């Protein structure tokens, strides 16, 4: 019969991968908790409208990449990202009444129907943080600091932090108008995607990867508009304060005026952290401020900022970790005694296994040396004398201890 294979763009996370995944998850809990963040888990599917309104219906994510299906005449979508879901939960659970800032962190699978390639999957995992209730740039600095310190805790280096300010809707309007007017003569030469973006979301033009478009955007008169300081006084002040905080914290960053991010909810600060050790999909972290999203999704006027990181990309940068061997393997032909000892060890927090098929002693010892650190030999002599022979399988050292003392030595 034909074998059924894993779906394109998805992957099994195997037991051998698990030490790295546990490491990423434990460090996330440890680091984010230190900053006062609490974990939240939201459903994997939500109303399609949440993403259309939240992420934005001019984005590639909403237009091309969503896994949408109908059930009982409702349109549902597997979450392509988790900011919209967390905002929905924030509103629905009245979290704006909690003392600000409300800091939430999450981990879990996301789904985007993208063309799979190295570093880009259709089901991938994110770990992320969302901070609600602070409009001052101190929150922007703290969120970037959290991301940087998490990556440091994972032992990752050779990373670059890029920041930009998208301004507020008012100053962005001026920028869009200027950009459209210098680009007008070249409109016919732009790729079909850019022609659509020109009408719907001109800011996203800057993100285009098509060489012909990139060439147009590097023309002096267009570059001048892109590089211009279009943001208004208040937005500029916010950005300058953020830069000063980052300088004080010793966080190195560069300003990338082309950084616009692929989601519609951002205003003011956006940032990305890239790794110099990944291929073309080199962003390990993306984030930014989204001061209008809570209100746009029906909540109070609550400013917010956050980020998310791709865990598969992080995992590929983390050194492979040794799989933990079982601590003890009981070598014994008396099943009753074997079960009793394993359960006693497990009850005392020691990982323990025994041979469920009751093979010969030598075979059991062979198995023990493959899977465990210690073999606990319980032969007829040991049972008669109420003791256990403990063999260290790395050094082959062996000693016999009293049965009653066995749980105290691991
Ligand atoms: P994003 O830039 O779309 O932002 O995704 C964040 C990170 O998720 C990326 O930098 C990348 O590491 C990873 N990622 C995204 N798509 C894929 C994929 N197809 N395969 C593998 N990894 C991927 C967001 O999702 C925003 N919700 C971040 C945010 C939180 N902004 C504010 N708060």
């Amino acid at each position: 019969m034909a074998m059924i294979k894993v779906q394109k763009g998805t992957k099994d996370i195997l037991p051998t991968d698990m030490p790295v995944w546990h490491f990423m998850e434990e460090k996330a809990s440890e680091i984010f908790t230190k900053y006062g963040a609490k974990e939240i888990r939201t459903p994997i599917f939500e109303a399609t409208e949440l993403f259309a309104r939240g992420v934005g219906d001019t984005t590639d994510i909403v237009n091309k990449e969503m896994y949408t299906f109908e059930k009982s005449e409702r349109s549902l979508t597997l979450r392509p990202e988790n900011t919209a879901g967390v905002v929905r939960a924030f509103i629905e659970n009245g979290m704006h009444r909690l003392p600000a800032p409300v800091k939430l962190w999450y981990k879990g699978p996301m789904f985007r129907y993208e063309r799979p390639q190295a570093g880009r999957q259709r089901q991938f995992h994110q770990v992320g943080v969302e901070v609600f209730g602070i409009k001052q740039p101190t929150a922007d600095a703290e969120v970037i600091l959290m991301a940087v310190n998490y990556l440091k805790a994972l032992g990752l280096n050779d990373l670059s932090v890029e920041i930009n300010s998208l301004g507020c809707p008012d100053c962005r309007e001026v920028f869009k108008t200027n950009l459209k007017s210098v680009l007008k003569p070249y409109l016919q030469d732009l790729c079909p995607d850019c022609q659509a973006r020109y009408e719907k979301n001109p800011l996203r033009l800057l993100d285009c990867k098509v060489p012909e478009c990139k060439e147009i955007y590097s023309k002096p008169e267009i570059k001048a508009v892109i590089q211009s300081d279009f943001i208004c006084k208040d937005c500029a002040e916010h950005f300058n304060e953020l830069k000063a905080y980052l300088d004080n914290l010793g966080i190195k960053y560069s300003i990338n005026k082309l950084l616009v991010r692929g989601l519609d909810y951002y205003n003011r600060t956006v940032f990305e952290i890239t790794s110099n050790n990944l291929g073309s999909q080199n962003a390990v972290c993306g984030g930014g401020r989204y001061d209008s999203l809570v209100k746009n999704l029906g909540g109070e006027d609550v400013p917010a900022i956050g980020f998310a990181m791709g865990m598969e990309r992080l995992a590929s940068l983390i050194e492979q970790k040794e799989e933990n061997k079982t601590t003890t393997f009981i070598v014994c032909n008396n099943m009753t005694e074997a079960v009793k000892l394993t359960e006693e060890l497990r009850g005392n927090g020691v990982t323990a296994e025994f041979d469920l098929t009751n093979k010969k002693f030598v075979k059991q010892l062979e198995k023990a040396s493959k899977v465990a650190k210690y073999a606990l030999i319980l032969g007829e002599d040991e049972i008669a004398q109420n003791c256990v022979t403990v063999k260290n399988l790395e050094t082959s050292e062996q000693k016999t201890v009293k049965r009653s003392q066995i749980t105290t030595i691991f």
Side-chain angles (χ1 to χ4, degrees), residues 81 83 106 112 114 119-121 124 126 129-130 261 263 265-266 283-288 290 306-310 313:
E81 59 99 57
T83 307
Y106 53 82
R112 296 185 194 175
E114 298 197 79
R120 197 201 269 159
Q121 289 177 222
F124 59 99
Q126 282 185 342
V129 172
E130 313 292 350
R261 311 266 306 123
L263 305 99
Y265 45 63
Y266 294 117
V284 289
C285 173
Y290 50 94
F307 65 80
M309 302 193 185
R313 292 187 195 175

Side-chain angles (χ1 to χ4, degrees), residues 128-142:
V129 172
E130 313 292 350
V131 173
F132 295 90
I134 307 289
K135 62 177 191 303
Q136 286 86 345
T138 36
D140 309 39
E142 191 175 65

